[in-house]
Protein backbone atom coordinates (compact mmCIF):
# COMPACT_ATOMS: atom_id res chain seq x y z
CA UNK A 1 0.00 0.00 0.00
CA UNK A 2 1.20 3.53 -0.77
CA UNK A 3 0.20 7.00 0.35
CA UNK A 4 -0.98 8.88 -2.76
CA UNK A 5 -2.19 12.18 -1.32
CA UNK A 6 -2.74 13.97 2.01
CA UNK A 7 -5.45 16.61 2.32
CA UNK A 8 -5.39 19.22 5.10
CA UNK A 9 -8.92 20.44 5.79
CA UNK A 10 -9.50 23.57 7.92
CA UNK A 11 -13.07 24.26 8.97
CA UNK A 12 -14.90 26.12 11.71
CA UNK A 13 -18.24 24.56 12.70
CA UNK A 14 -18.36 26.93 15.71
CA UNK A 15 -14.61 26.60 16.39
CA UNK A 16 -11.61 25.85 14.18
CA UNK A 17 -10.46 22.31 13.44
CA UNK A 18 -7.50 21.14 11.35
CA UNK A 19 -8.18 17.67 9.91
CA UNK A 20 -5.77 15.43 8.02
CA UNK A 21 -6.98 12.92 5.42
CA UNK A 22 -4.37 10.41 4.20
CA UNK A 23 -5.31 8.74 0.89
CA UNK A 24 -3.85 5.47 -0.43
CA UNK A 25 -3.59 3.65 -3.75
CA UNK A 26 -5.96 0.93 -2.45
CA UNK A 27 -8.92 3.21 -1.86
CA UNK A 28 -8.57 3.10 1.93
CA UNK A 29 -8.08 6.45 3.66
CA UNK A 30 -7.47 7.54 7.23
CA UNK A 31 -8.49 10.64 9.18
CA UNK A 32 -6.52 12.54 11.86
CA UNK A 33 -6.92 15.65 14.06
CA UNK A 34 -4.09 18.24 14.09
CA UNK A 35 -5.81 21.17 15.82
CA UNK A 36 -3.91 23.55 18.12
CA UNK A 37 -6.50 25.98 19.49
CA UNK A 38 -5.58 29.57 18.54
CA UNK A 39 -2.55 28.55 16.43
CA UNK A 40 -4.29 26.44 13.76
CA UNK A 41 -2.62 27.86 10.68
CA UNK A 42 0.89 27.19 11.95
CA UNK A 43 0.10 23.46 11.91
CA UNK A 44 -1.43 23.72 8.43
CA UNK A 45 1.77 25.31 7.05
CA UNK A 46 3.94 22.76 8.90
CA UNK A 47 1.98 19.87 7.38
CA UNK A 48 1.63 21.25 3.85
CA UNK A 49 5.17 22.57 3.48
CA UNK A 50 7.22 20.08 5.52
CA UNK A 51 5.34 16.82 6.09
CA UNK A 52 3.08 16.00 3.13
CA UNK A 53 5.85 16.13 0.47
CA UNK A 54 7.96 13.66 2.50
CA UNK A 55 5.18 11.08 2.89
CA UNK A 56 3.80 10.67 -0.64
CA UNK A 57 4.71 7.19 -1.92
CA UNK A 58 5.44 5.74 1.55
CA UNK A 59 3.80 2.63 3.01
CA UNK A 60 1.06 3.85 5.44
CA UNK A 61 1.27 0.59 7.43
CA UNK A 62 4.65 1.66 8.81
CA UNK A 63 3.11 3.96 11.43
CA UNK A 64 5.94 3.58 13.97
CA UNK A 65 8.61 4.25 11.36
CA UNK A 66 6.76 7.31 10.00
CA UNK A 67 6.28 8.61 13.57
CA UNK A 68 10.03 8.30 14.19
CA UNK A 69 10.83 9.73 10.75
CA UNK A 70 8.81 12.87 11.51
CA UNK A 71 9.98 13.12 15.15
CA UNK A 72 13.71 12.39 14.82
CA UNK A 73 13.83 13.68 11.27
CA UNK A 74 12.64 17.14 12.32
CA UNK A 75 15.90 17.37 14.35
CA UNK A 76 14.43 20.16 16.57
CA UNK A 77 12.00 17.69 18.13
CA UNK A 78 8.86 18.16 20.22
CA UNK A 79 6.87 21.38 20.51
CA UNK A 80 3.09 21.76 20.13
CA UNK A 81 3.09 22.50 16.39
CA UNK A 82 5.43 19.66 15.36
CA UNK A 83 3.67 17.21 17.64
CA UNK A 84 0.15 18.18 16.47
CA UNK A 85 1.30 17.57 12.88
CA UNK A 86 2.74 14.17 13.84
CA UNK A 87 -0.43 13.39 15.82
CA UNK A 88 -2.72 14.09 12.87
CA UNK A 89 -0.71 11.85 10.54
CA UNK A 90 -0.38 9.09 13.16
CA UNK A 91 -4.16 8.92 13.83
CA UNK A 92 -4.81 8.65 10.10
CA UNK A 93 -2.25 5.83 9.72
CA UNK A 94 -3.75 3.84 12.61
CA UNK A 95 -7.18 4.42 11.05
CA UNK A 96 -5.93 2.93 7.76
CA UNK A 97 -4.23 0.03 9.54
CA UNK A 98 -7.36 -0.90 11.50
CA UNK A 99 -9.58 -0.50 8.43
CA UNK A 100 -7.22 -2.81 6.49
CA UNK A 101 -7.52 -5.34 9.34
CA UNK A 102 -11.30 -4.81 9.29
CA UNK A 103 -11.24 -4.28 13.05
CA UNK A 104 -12.02 -1.44 15.44
CA UNK A 105 -8.76 0.23 16.48
CA UNK A 106 -8.94 -0.93 20.11
CA UNK A 107 -8.50 -4.55 18.95
CA UNK A 108 -5.08 -3.68 17.52
CA UNK A 109 -4.09 -2.06 20.84
CA UNK A 110 -4.74 -5.19 22.91
CA UNK A 111 -8.51 -5.53 22.82
CA UNK A 112 -11.03 -4.54 25.48
CA UNK A 113 -9.78 -3.98 29.03
CA UNK A 114 -13.16 -2.64 30.25
CA UNK A 115 -16.85 -2.55 29.42
CA UNK A 116 -17.24 1.24 29.27
CA UNK A 117 -15.21 4.44 29.48
CA UNK A 118 -16.12 6.78 32.37
CA UNK A 119 -16.20 10.48 31.50
CA UNK A 120 -16.43 13.69 33.47
CA UNK A 121 -18.27 16.78 32.33
CA UNK A 122 -18.12 20.39 33.52
CA UNK A 123 -20.47 22.30 35.80
CA UNK A 124 -19.77 25.99 36.27
CA UNK A 125 -21.45 29.19 37.36
CA UNK A 126 -21.21 32.77 38.53
CA UNK A 127 -21.83 31.77 42.15
CA UNK A 128 -21.77 28.64 44.34
CA UNK A 129 -25.55 28.03 44.15
CA UNK A 130 -25.46 28.06 40.36
CA UNK A 131 -22.63 25.49 40.35
CA UNK A 132 -24.50 23.25 42.82
CA UNK A 133 -27.53 23.33 40.52
CA UNK A 134 -25.32 22.46 37.55
CA UNK A 135 -23.76 19.49 39.37
CA UNK A 136 -27.19 18.19 40.43
CA UNK A 137 -28.40 18.48 36.82
CA UNK A 138 -25.43 16.49 35.52
CA UNK A 139 -26.00 13.86 38.22
CA UNK A 140 -29.57 13.52 36.89
CA UNK A 141 -28.09 12.96 33.42
CA UNK A 142 -26.12 9.98 34.73
CA UNK A 143 -22.68 11.51 35.29
CA UNK A 144 -20.57 9.73 37.91
CA UNK A 145 -17.78 12.33 37.68
CA UNK A 146 -18.17 16.11 37.47
CA UNK A 147 -15.71 19.02 37.30
CA UNK A 148 -16.90 22.09 39.23
CA UNK A 149 -15.73 25.68 38.64
CA UNK A 150 -17.01 28.95 40.10
CA UNK A 151 -16.44 32.60 39.13
CA UNK A 152 -14.85 34.91 41.69
CA UNK A 153 -17.38 37.38 43.14
CA UNK A 154 -16.59 40.96 42.20
CA UNK A 155 -14.42 40.00 39.23
CA UNK A 156 -15.58 39.64 35.62
CA UNK A 157 -16.24 36.08 34.42
CA UNK A 158 -13.12 34.05 33.72
CA UNK A 159 -12.33 31.15 31.44
CA UNK A 160 -13.79 27.90 32.74
CA UNK A 161 -16.73 29.45 34.57
CA UNK A 162 -19.01 29.19 31.58
CA UNK A 163 -19.44 32.83 30.71
CA UNK A 164 -16.06 34.09 29.55
CA UNK A 165 -15.39 34.72 25.85
CA UNK A 166 -13.92 31.34 25.00
CA UNK A 167 -14.59 28.49 27.35
CA UNK A 168 -15.73 24.91 27.04
CA UNK A 169 -18.96 26.16 25.48
CA UNK A 170 -16.88 27.29 22.52
CA UNK A 171 -18.24 30.81 22.04
CA UNK A 172 -15.84 33.41 20.72
CA UNK A 173 -17.25 36.92 20.67
CA UNK A 174 -14.25 38.70 19.19
CA UNK A 175 -11.26 37.47 17.20
CA UNK A 176 -8.41 38.93 19.29
CA UNK A 177 -7.58 37.47 22.74
CA UNK A 178 -9.93 38.60 25.49
CA UNK A 179 -8.12 39.91 28.60
CA UNK A 180 -9.42 38.41 31.83
CA UNK A 181 -8.75 39.36 35.46
CA UNK A 182 -7.33 37.06 38.13
CA UNK A 183 -6.92 37.41 41.93
CA UNK A 184 -5.49 34.38 43.78
CA UNK A 185 -6.30 35.69 47.29
CA UNK A 186 -9.99 35.90 46.37
CA UNK A 187 -10.00 32.45 44.73
CA UNK A 188 -8.24 30.37 47.41
CA UNK A 189 -10.86 30.66 50.20
CA UNK A 190 -13.75 30.35 47.74
CA UNK A 191 -13.02 26.87 46.32
CA UNK A 192 -13.20 24.91 49.63
CA UNK A 193 -16.58 26.60 50.29
CA UNK A 194 -17.79 25.43 46.89
CA UNK A 195 -16.84 21.81 47.57
CA UNK A 196 -18.27 21.84 51.08
CA UNK A 197 -21.62 22.91 49.61
CA UNK A 198 -21.30 20.33 46.83
CA UNK A 199 -20.66 17.42 49.21
CA UNK A 200 -23.70 18.49 51.24
CA UNK A 201 -25.81 18.58 48.09
CA UNK A 202 -24.63 15.50 46.16
CA UNK A 203 -23.06 13.24 48.78
CA UNK A 204 -19.96 11.10 48.51
CA UNK A 205 -20.76 8.60 45.74
CA UNK A 206 -19.93 11.02 42.95
CA UNK A 207 -16.41 11.93 41.82
CA UNK A 208 -15.82 15.69 42.04
CA UNK A 209 -12.95 17.33 40.15
CA UNK A 210 -11.51 20.84 39.98
CA UNK A 211 -9.31 22.58 37.37
CA UNK A 212 -6.98 25.31 38.70
CA UNK A 213 -5.84 26.01 35.12
CA UNK A 214 -2.17 26.71 35.94
CA UNK A 215 -3.01 29.79 38.02
CA UNK A 216 -1.18 29.11 41.32
CA UNK A 217 2.37 28.94 42.64
CA UNK A 218 3.40 25.65 44.31
CA UNK A 219 2.89 26.94 47.88
CA UNK A 220 -0.52 28.42 46.99
CA UNK A 221 -1.49 25.12 45.38
CA UNK A 222 -0.30 23.26 48.49
CA UNK A 223 -2.62 25.44 50.63
CA UNK A 224 -5.54 24.69 48.33
CA UNK A 225 -4.77 20.97 48.30
CA UNK A 226 -4.77 20.85 52.12
CA UNK A 227 -8.00 22.85 52.34
CA UNK A 228 -9.75 20.54 49.87
CA UNK A 229 -8.68 17.29 51.54
CA UNK A 230 -11.85 16.97 53.67
CA UNK A 231 -13.96 16.92 50.48
CA UNK A 232 -11.93 14.12 48.82
CA UNK A 233 -11.74 15.36 45.26
CA UNK A 234 -11.06 12.88 42.45
CA UNK A 235 -8.29 15.29 41.49
CA UNK A 236 -6.87 18.79 41.50
CA UNK A 237 -6.01 19.64 37.86
CA UNK A 238 -3.17 21.87 36.62
CA UNK A 239 -2.58 23.28 40.10
CA UNK A 240 0.65 24.99 38.95
CA UNK A 241 2.12 25.84 35.54
CA UNK A 242 3.56 22.51 34.41
CA UNK A 243 6.65 23.41 32.42
CA UNK A 244 8.48 23.45 35.77
CA UNK A 245 7.98 19.80 36.70
CA UNK A 246 9.91 20.30 39.95
CA UNK A 247 7.08 22.57 41.16
CA UNK A 248 5.02 19.46 41.85
CA UNK A 249 7.47 18.16 44.47
CA UNK A 250 6.47 20.88 46.92
CA UNK A 251 2.77 20.39 46.23
CA UNK A 252 3.07 16.61 46.69
CA UNK A 253 4.81 16.95 50.06
CA UNK A 254 1.90 18.94 51.46
CA UNK A 255 -1.26 17.17 50.36
CA UNK A 256 -2.83 13.75 49.81
CA UNK A 257 -5.20 15.34 47.30
CA UNK A 258 -4.74 13.39 43.99
CA UNK A 259 -2.99 15.49 41.34
CA UNK A 260 -3.61 15.63 37.57
CA UNK A 261 -1.69 17.44 34.84
CA UNK A 262 -0.74 17.20 31.17
CA UNK A 263 -3.16 18.94 28.79
CA UNK A 264 -0.40 21.19 27.41
CA UNK A 265 2.22 18.42 27.22
CA UNK A 266 3.26 17.12 23.83
CA UNK A 267 5.79 14.38 24.55
CA UNK A 268 6.74 11.69 27.01
CA UNK A 269 9.71 13.86 28.08
CA UNK A 270 7.28 16.40 29.57
CA UNK A 271 6.12 13.66 31.91
CA UNK A 272 9.21 11.75 33.01
CA UNK A 273 10.00 13.60 36.27
CA UNK A 274 6.34 13.79 37.26
CA UNK A 275 5.67 10.11 36.60
CA UNK A 276 8.91 8.47 37.71
CA UNK A 277 8.96 10.43 40.99
CA UNK A 278 5.25 9.63 41.47
CA UNK A 279 4.40 13.32 41.86
CA UNK A 280 1.07 12.94 40.05
CA UNK A 281 -1.80 10.46 39.92
CA UNK A 282 -3.33 11.17 36.50
CA UNK A 283 -1.60 12.09 33.25
CA UNK A 284 -3.87 14.21 31.03
CA UNK A 285 -2.14 14.05 27.62
CA UNK A 286 -4.41 13.66 24.59
CA UNK A 287 -3.99 12.09 21.16
CA UNK A 288 -4.02 15.35 19.16
CA UNK A 289 -1.23 17.03 21.14
CA UNK A 290 0.95 14.17 22.41
CA UNK A 291 1.80 12.25 19.23
CA UNK A 292 -1.38 10.46 18.22
CA UNK A 293 -2.19 6.88 19.14
CA UNK A 294 1.53 6.01 19.08
CA UNK A 295 2.41 8.86 21.48
CA UNK A 296 -0.42 8.07 23.91
CA UNK A 297 0.49 4.39 24.08
CA UNK A 298 4.13 5.18 24.89
CA UNK A 299 3.18 7.64 27.65
CA UNK A 300 0.41 5.54 29.23
CA UNK A 301 2.52 2.36 29.18
CA UNK A 302 5.34 4.27 30.91
CA UNK A 303 2.85 5.69 33.43
CA UNK A 304 1.43 2.24 34.18
CA UNK A 305 4.58 1.08 35.94
CA UNK A 306 4.36 4.02 38.40
CA UNK A 307 0.65 3.66 39.32
CA UNK A 308 -0.23 6.73 37.25
CA UNK A 309 -3.52 6.50 35.36
CA UNK A 310 -4.70 8.03 32.08
CA UNK A 311 -7.07 10.97 31.80
CA UNK A 312 -7.14 12.22 28.22
CA UNK A 313 -7.87 15.90 27.77
CA UNK A 314 -11.18 16.15 25.90
CA UNK A 315 -12.77 19.60 25.67
CA UNK A 316 -14.54 20.80 22.52
CA UNK A 317 -11.34 21.89 20.84
CA UNK A 318 -10.15 18.26 20.81
CA UNK A 319 -12.08 17.20 17.68
CA UNK A 320 -14.35 14.13 17.46
CA UNK A 321 -11.51 12.43 15.52
CA UNK A 322 -9.01 12.80 18.39
CA UNK A 323 -11.82 11.93 20.83
CA UNK A 324 -12.36 8.70 18.87
CA UNK A 325 -8.66 7.81 19.15
CA UNK A 326 -8.72 8.62 22.87
CA UNK A 327 -11.72 6.34 23.41
CA UNK A 328 -10.04 3.41 21.64
CA UNK A 329 -6.90 3.83 23.77
CA UNK A 330 -9.06 4.30 26.92
CA UNK A 331 -10.82 1.01 26.11
CA UNK A 332 -7.63 -0.97 25.53
CA UNK A 333 -5.16 0.07 28.26
CA UNK A 334 -5.15 -1.36 31.76
CA UNK A 335 -4.30 1.91 33.57
CA UNK A 336 -7.27 3.95 32.33
CA UNK A 337 -8.43 6.61 34.80
CA UNK A 338 -11.10 8.84 33.26
CA UNK A 339 -11.92 10.67 30.01
CA UNK A 340 -12.83 14.38 29.84
CA UNK A 341 -15.86 14.90 27.57
CA UNK A 342 -17.70 18.13 26.78
CA UNK A 343 -19.86 16.92 23.90
CA UNK A 344 -19.98 18.77 20.57
CA UNK A 345 -22.22 21.22 18.75
CA UNK A 346 -24.62 19.86 16.14
CA UNK A 347 -22.58 21.44 13.33
CA UNK A 348 -19.44 19.65 14.58
CA UNK A 349 -21.24 16.32 14.75
CA UNK A 350 -22.55 16.82 11.20
CA UNK A 351 -19.04 17.46 9.98
CA UNK A 352 -17.56 14.40 11.75
CA UNK A 353 -19.83 11.34 11.39
CA UNK A 354 -18.64 8.98 14.11
CA UNK A 355 -19.05 5.45 15.41
CA UNK A 356 -18.28 6.19 19.06
CA UNK A 357 -21.26 6.77 21.30
CA UNK A 358 -22.01 8.54 24.58
CA UNK A 359 -24.69 7.49 27.04
CA UNK A 360 -25.29 8.62 30.61
CA UNK A 361 -21.73 9.32 31.67
CA UNK A 362 -19.96 6.63 29.65
CA UNK A 363 -18.43 6.34 26.17
CA UNK A 364 -18.13 3.37 23.80
CA UNK A 365 -15.65 3.18 20.89
CA UNK A 366 -18.09 1.43 18.54
CA UNK A 367 -17.30 -1.54 16.32
CA UNK A 368 -16.64 0.19 12.99
CA UNK A 369 -13.28 -0.69 11.38
CA UNK A 370 -10.62 1.96 12.09
CA UNK A 371 -11.13 4.62 14.78
CA UNK A 372 -14.60 5.08 13.36
CA UNK A 373 -14.58 8.85 12.78
CA UNK A 374 -14.85 10.38 9.30
CA UNK A 375 -14.95 13.92 7.92
CA UNK A 376 -17.76 15.07 5.62
CA UNK A 377 -15.90 17.42 3.30
CA UNK A 378 -19.09 18.92 1.85
CA UNK A 379 -20.19 19.96 5.36
CA UNK A 380 -16.68 21.23 6.17
CA UNK A 381 -16.77 23.46 3.06
CA UNK A 382 -19.74 25.32 4.56
CA UNK A 383 -17.69 26.47 7.59
CA UNK A 384 -14.55 28.42 6.57
CA UNK A 385 -11.73 29.22 9.04
CA UNK A 386 -12.63 32.05 11.44
CA UNK A 387 -9.86 33.83 13.32
CA UNK A 388 -10.16 33.13 17.06
CA UNK A 389 -7.90 33.11 20.10
CA UNK A 390 -7.85 31.81 23.62
CA UNK A 391 -7.90 34.57 26.28
CA UNK A 392 -5.00 35.97 28.29
CA UNK A 393 -5.18 36.84 32.01
CA UNK A 394 -3.93 39.80 34.04
CA UNK A 395 -3.80 40.50 37.76
CA UNK A 396 -5.92 43.38 39.04
CA UNK A 397 -2.92 45.74 38.67
CA UNK A 398 -2.48 44.78 35.01
CA UNK A 399 0.38 42.26 35.35
CA UNK A 400 0.18 39.46 32.79
CA UNK A 401 -0.26 36.09 34.53
CA UNK A 402 -0.77 32.38 33.81
CA UNK A 403 -4.27 31.18 33.06
O1 LIG B 1 -8.29 25.26 28.46
O2 LIG B 1 -8.71 23.02 25.71
O3 LIG B 1 -9.55 20.82 31.05
N1 LIG B 1 -9.78 21.50 30.09
C1 LIG B 1 -9.28 22.72 29.80
C2 LIG B 1 -9.55 23.22 28.42
C3 LIG B 1 -8.42 24.03 27.82
C4 LIG B 1 -8.64 24.26 26.33
C5 LIG B 1 -7.54 25.09 25.69
O4 LIG B 1 -7.68 25.09 24.30
O5 LIG B 1 -8.63 23.30 30.64
O6 LIG B 1 -10.77 23.87 28.38
CO1 LIG C 1 -7.86 21.83 32.12
Amino acid sequence: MKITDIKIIVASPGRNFVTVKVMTDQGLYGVGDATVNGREKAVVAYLEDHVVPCLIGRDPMRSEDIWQYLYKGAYWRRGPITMAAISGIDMALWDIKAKAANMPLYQLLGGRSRDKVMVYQHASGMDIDEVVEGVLALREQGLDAIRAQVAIPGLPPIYGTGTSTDDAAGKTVRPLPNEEVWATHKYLPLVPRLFEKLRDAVGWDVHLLHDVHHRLTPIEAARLGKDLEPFRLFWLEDAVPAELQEGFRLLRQHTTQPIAVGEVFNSIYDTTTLISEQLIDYIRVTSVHAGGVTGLKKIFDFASIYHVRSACHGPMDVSPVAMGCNIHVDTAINNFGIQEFSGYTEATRDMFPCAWTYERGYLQPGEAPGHGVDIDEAVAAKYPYAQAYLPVARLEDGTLTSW
Side-chain angles (χ1 to χ4, degrees):
M1 201 184 294
K2 278 189 169 32
I3 297 173
T4 50
D5 189 18
I6 302 178
K7 291 190 199 176
I8 314 300
I9 301 151
V10 186
S12 185
R15 60 167 57 255
N16 292 309
F17 293 113
V18 177
T19 308
V20 173
K21 190 168 174 181
V22 177
M23 324 293 286
T24 70
D25 59 352
Q26 312 219 344
L28 285 180
Y29 64 88
V31 177
D33 178 21
T35 307
V36 176
N37 195 358
R39 296 292 185 271
E40 297 86 359
K41 288 194 166 180
V43 192
V44 174
Y46 191 105
L47 281 163
E48 287 181 347
D49 296 344
H50 306 298
V51 172
V52 173
C54 302
L55 298 187
I56 305 299
R58 285 181 192 276
D59 178 357
M61 290 297 172
R62 296 179 63 174
S63 49
E64 177 69 24
D65 184 71
I66 289 176
W67 195 98
Q68 300 290 347
Y69 175 87
L70 294 174
Y71 181 83
K72 294 180 175 160
Y75 182 64
W76 309 104
R77 302 190 186 202
R78 306 191 287 170
I81 305 303
T82 294
M83 295 308 291
I86 294 177
S87 300
I89 298 289
D90 184 79
M91 286 181 218
L93 298 186
W94 276 100
D95 195 22
I96 291 169
K97 199 192 302 289
K99 283 175 176 170
N102 199 26
M103 286 182 184
L105 174 58
Y106 72 82
Q107 296 289 15
L108 275 59
L109 303 174
R112 259 184 201 280
S113 282
R114 59 193 45 76
D115 302 330
K116 53 185 183 173
V117 169
M118 181 170 72
V119 310
Y120 70 94
Q121 293 200 346
H122 305 172
S124 55
M126 289 304 293
D127 58 35
I128 288 176
D129 289 343
E130 198 183 334
V131 184
V132 172
E133 268 172 44
V135 170
L136 288 169
L138 286 176
R139 242 349 229 157
E140 286 283 300
Q141 293 166 29
L143 270 295
D144 284 331
I146 300 163
R147 190 191 86 167
Q149 311 290 132
V150 66
I152 300 174
L155 292 186
I158 49 159
Y159 183 90
T161 54
T163 41
S164 84
T165 49
D166 189 339
D167 60 13
K171 284 175 287 163
T172 303
V173 297
R174 62 174 187 171
L176 294 179
N178 189 41
E179 304 214 349
E180 301 182 345
V181 184
W182 180 251
T184 294
H185 68 292
K186 297 180 182 175
Y187 165 81
L188 281 181
L190 180 65
V191 183
R193 288 202 336 256
L194 168 66
F195 283 92
E196 187 177 14
K197 277 269 177 76
L198 280 174
R199 281 299 180 207
D200 286 347
V202 294
W204 297 83
D205 285 351
V206 58
H207 300 300
L208 295 176
L209 298 71
H210 182 68
D211 186 358
V212 181
H213 220 275
H214 328 273
R215 288 169 170 135
L216 299 179
T217 66
I219 198 67
E220 290 164 350
R223 175 79 261 160
L224 182 61
K226 266 175 150 28
D227 290 349
L228 287 173
E229 274 176 23
F231 313 112
R232 309 238 173 154
L233 270 55
F234 186 87
W235 77 39
L236 197 57
E237 173 180 335
D238 291 343
V240 295
E243 62 267 41
L244 183 69
Q245 293 186 34
E246 294 84 339
F248 284 81
R249 288 196 192 117
L250 195 140
L251 175 58
R252 194 61 151 180
Q253 283 160 13
H254 287 286
T255 179
T256 55
Q257 181 58 69
I259 310 284
V261 74
E263 66 183 51
V264 303
F265 291 171
N266 52 66
S267 94
I268 195 166
Y269 302 103
D270 296 318
T271 74
T272 46
T273 301
L274 295 172
I275 291 175
S276 65
E277 293 188 22
Q278 301 179 80
L279 301 178
I280 59 171
D281 303 280
Y282 296 91
I283 181 70
R284 300 194 61 260
V285 288
T286 197
S287 54
V288 57
H289 299 135
V293 174
T294 300
L296 279 192
K297 267 293 277 175
K298 289 181 198 301
I299 295 169
F300 293 155
D301 286 348
F302 172 62
S304 73
I305 59 178
Y306 295 96
H307 309 291
V308 174
R309 282 180 280 176
S310 76
C312 290
H313 189 214
M316 279 182 167
D317 52 293
V318 166
S319 96
V321 178
M323 182 60 67
C325 290
N326 290 346
I327 298 165
H328 282 271
V329 174
D330 294 339
T331 300
I333 60 174
N334 174 258
N335 59 323
F336 167 74
I338 199 166
Q339 172 66 57
E340 186 181 26
F341 182 69
S342 300
Y344 295 100
T345 61
E346 216 179 293
T348 304
R349 296 199 64 110
D350 282 352
M351 191 175 124
F352 296 104
C354 61
W356 57 256
T357 53
Y358 170 79
E359 204 191 334
R360 293 190 65 78
Y362 292 84
L363 285 159
Q364 287 291 348
E367 297 301 318
H371 57 51
V373 189
D374 207 345
I375 178 163
D376 184 327
E377 292 182 62
V379 175
K382 292 196 299 190
Y383 301 111
Y385 170 78
Q387 188 181 357
Y389 288 98
L390 286 162
V392 298
R394 294 187 185 277
L395 303 180
E396 288 172 289
D397 70 358
T399 308
L400 198 92
T401 188
S402 305
W403 71 277

